[in-house]
Amino acid sequence: MTTQRTITVDQARQIVFDAYTTGLPQAAAAKLLTGQATQAWVTSEYAALRRRGIPAMSGQGSLFDPAAEN
């Protein structure tokens, strides 16, 4: 038997933000939040991030930045 942990809205938003800024598609972000958020909610969060002017790939630089490995 598996138990699913409940997360807060802020935690879900952080997961969506991380997924968005690393270039994951909305479907992948929704899968990360299976049982915690709907596809429609993830879609609205992605749209809100776009409206705020946050680039979809802004987190990619930190993933591959050798200076960030301290």
Side-chain angles (χ1 to χ4, degrees), residues 4-68:
Q4 189 166 14
R5 196 183 109 188
T6 302
I7 61 173
T8 67
V9 173
D10 288 338
Q11 290 170 322
R13 281 195 173 115
Q14 185 62 50
I15 291 168
V16 169
F17 179 83
D18 290 346
Y20 176 82
T21 58
T22 55
L24 288 177
Q26 291 177 22
K31 189 170 184 174
L32 290 171
L33 293 166
T34 300
Q36 304 291 324
T38 65
Q39 175 69 39
W41 184 82
V42 172
T43 299
S44 70
E45 289 297 309
Y46 265 57
L49 291 167
R50 278 192 300 275
R51 281 192 305 272
R52 288 175 40 202
I54 297 172
M57 300 295 276
S58 62
Q60 288 289 348
S62 64
L63 285 176
F64 302 105
D65 181 8

